[in-house]
Amino acid sequence: MTTTDALPAAAIDSATAHLRDVLAIALEHTPERRALVVFDTRTALARALVAAYRANLPDASFVDFDTVAPDEVLATFRTLAPQDLVVLVQSTNFRLDGFRLRVELFKLGLKVIEHVHLSRMPGAQGGHYIEALAYDPAYFRGVGHALKARIDRARRAEVHGGGDVLVFDSPLESAKLNVGDYSAMHNVGGQFPIGEVFTEARDLEAVSGRAQVHVFGDTSYLVNRPESPITLVIEKGRVVGTENVTPAFQEVLDIIRRDEGEVWVRELGFGMNRAFTRERRVDDIGTYERMCGIHLSLGAKHGVYAKPGFKRKDARYHIDVFVVTDAVYLDDERVYADGAWTVAA
C-alpha cells in the first residue's frame, strides 16, 4: 500500500463509530483524562485510524512517530498520569531502544490501545480490520463470560471438524478473557481488535486425536492458507504425524522440532471476533487470531500457563494454527455450531 492509497470515506466513518464505542465502553475513557495518540502515516489503514481518533479525541495530543526523536516520545509518555490513555497506531511496530511499549506503558498505570502491523493488511483487508473493531458489549462480555464459566467447570472438551475429532480428556486451565472487560484486571487495554477466550489442558498429555488446519502462522508471522487443510495427528499432546502437509508448514514443524525436540499442542483458543471467518481473512496472524472459531498453538511456549517440565528459556515457539471447526463440546454441551458460539450468558 503506497502513501497515495486511501480507504473510502465510509470506512473512516465506520472506524470512527467503532472506536467511539471502544473508547467509551471498553476503555471507559472520559474527556477529563488526557489522551496521547502516537502514530505513523505510512499506510492507508493507519491514516484512516488516525482520522477516526482525531474525530473522537479532539483534545488529545497527536505525535507522528516518524517526525520526532524516540527520546521525545518517551518523555511525552512520562508526562501522563495513571488512567490517562495512550493510543499506538503502527504500520509496523514502534521501536524505542528496548522500551517494550505496551508493557512499560502499563507499568505507568496508563490505559493502552495498540494497533500494530497494519502494513500486513493492505487493500480490502483494511476494511475487514475496521469491521473487527466493532464493539458489542452484550456479545463480547456476555458470551465471553459464559464461555469462561463453562470452560472452567468442564471435565473435558472436544473439537469436531471435517470428520475429525480432537479430544482434550482433561479439565482445562482457568480461562483468560480478551473481551474488552477490564473490571477484574490490573491493566486496561491491549492490542486491538479483540475477541478471544483461551485456555489449555491442565494435563497436556491428555490431548489426542486429529485436527484439520485451514490457516497457520508462517515464519514471517503471516497468515498462510494451504490449498486444502493439513491434518494434524496428535498423541499425548504432541504432533506425531501430518497429512496433506505443505512445504511451508513442514518448515514450521521442522524449526520447532529442531529447537524444542518435539511439537507440543498447548493453547486452546476460542476466537470470538465475527468480522474474521475462514473465508474473510487478514494477513497479520496476530490480528486474525481473533477469528470466530478454534485455534491451537504449536510449540512449548505459553507465557500464561506454567507447566512442570517446561522451562521458559527452552520454550521458544507459540505458533497459531486455525482448525476446521464444525462443533465444540465442553463436557456434553455443544457450545459452537454453524460458525458461531451458542452459549447464553
Side-chain angles (χ1 to χ4, degrees):
M1 192 181 296
T2 67
T3 56
T4 57
D5 290 333
L7 291 178
I12 298 174
D13 290 343
S14 292
T16 302
H18 297 336
L19 290 172
R20 183 182 304 122
D21 290 339
V22 167
L23 289 163
I25 303 170
L27 274 289
E28 297 182 352
H29 177 71
T30 61
E32 291 76 33
R33 307 302 318 191
R34 290 179 61 193
L36 169 66
V37 180
V38 183
F39 67 95
D40 67 58
T41 59
R42 301 174 206 164
T43 57
L45 180 51
R47 295 192 297 276
L49 295 177
V50 171
Y53 280 114
R54 288 191 187 278
N56 284 312
L57 299 170
D59 298 323
S61 299
F62 284 76
V63 175
D64 184 339
F65 185 81
D66 291 330
T67 65
V68 299
D71 286 349
E72 290 182 55
V73 178
L74 292 174
T76 306
F77 289 150
R78 295 191 174 101
T79 67
L80 300 174
Q83 300 306 306
D84 286 346
L85 172 69
V86 173
V87 178
L88 305 167
V89 181
Q90 307 160 92
S91 293
T92 53
N93 60 323
F94 298 150
R95 299 290 186 183
L96 290 172
D97 297 328
F99 186 93
R100 297 169 301 165
L101 266 174
R102 192 171 23 160
V103 173
E104 301 302 326
L105 293 173
F106 281 148
K107 285 182 182 178
L108 296 172
L110 300 169
K111 298 179 179 181
V112 180
I113 298 175
E114 185 173 27
H115 305 278
V116 67
H117 298 308
L118 302 178
S119 63
R120 295 177 182 169
M121 294 169 281
Q125 293 185 36
H128 301 337
Y129 182 95
I130 287 171
E131 185 182 346
L133 294 172
Y135 189 66
D136 177 351
Y139 169 69
F140 280 115
R141 296 182 181 190
V143 174
H145 283 284
L147 275 174
K148 174 177 167 54
R150 286 158 175 79
I151 290 167
D152 287 357
R153 67 173 182 253
R155 307 304 298 170
R156 69 194 306 276
E158 292 185 2
V159 178
H160 296 234
D164 287 325
V165 181
L166 183 62
V167 177
F168 294 72
D169 196 14
S170 157
L172 303 171
E173 298 282 6
S174 178
K176 304 298 182 183
L177 293 167
N178 180 11
V179 295
D181 179 1
Y182 305 103
S183 57
M185 298 183 185
H186 180 68
N187 299 324
V188 177
Q191 182 177 329
F192 281 73
I194 60 168
E196 181 185 5
V197 182
F198 64 90
T199 181
E200 69 178 27
R202 289 189 197 168
D203 177 5
L204 294 177
E205 290 197 326
V207 181
S208 62
R210 294 161 60 94
Q212 297 180 15
V213 174
H214 64 85
V215 158
F216 64 93
D218 66 16
T219 55
S220 301
Y221 307 102
L222 295 175
V223 161
N224 187 307
R225 188 190 190 203
E227 198 168 308
S228 57
I230 298 163
T231 299
L232 301 180
V233 181
I234 298 163
E235 295 178 5
K236 293 189 175 181
R238 303 158 175 90
V239 176
V240 298
T242 56
E243 298 171 8
N244 297 323
V245 69
T246 64
F249 191 75
Q250 188 62 52
E251 181 184 14
V252 169
L253 296 179
D254 290 345
I255 289 171
I256 297 173
R257 288 196 175 102
R258 179 194 70 198
D259 296 335
E260 295 185 349
E262 51 196 347
V263 180
W264 283 94
V265 177
R266 293 210 56 177
E267 181 173 308
L268 173 59
F270 296 65
M272 290 181 60
N273 200 306
R274 295 174 291 193
F276 300 137
T277 67
R278 186 172 168 182
E279 302 303 327
R280 193 190 302 123
R281 302 181 302 279
V282 291
D283 287 339
D284 178 55
I285 197 71
T287 300
Y288 187 67
E289 184 181 359
R290 319 303 186 205
M291 186 211 88
C292 195
I294 289 290
H295 61 271
L296 311 171
S297 73
L298 303 184
K301 183 177 179 179
H302 202 299
V304 175
Y305 301 114
K307 286 286 205 294
F310 287 82
K311 297 179 181 177
R312 248 177 216 275
K313 65 181 180 64
D314 298 328
R316 297 182 55 182
Y317 298 104
H318 179 108
I319 308 298
D320 289 316
V321 299
F322 301 79
V323 299
V324 175
T325 308
D326 300 319
V328 179
Y329 292 89
L330 294 171
D331 294 327
D332 295 325
E333 180 183 1
R334 185 172 182 174
V335 297
Y336 184 91
D338 300 320
W341 301 105
T342 58
V343 296

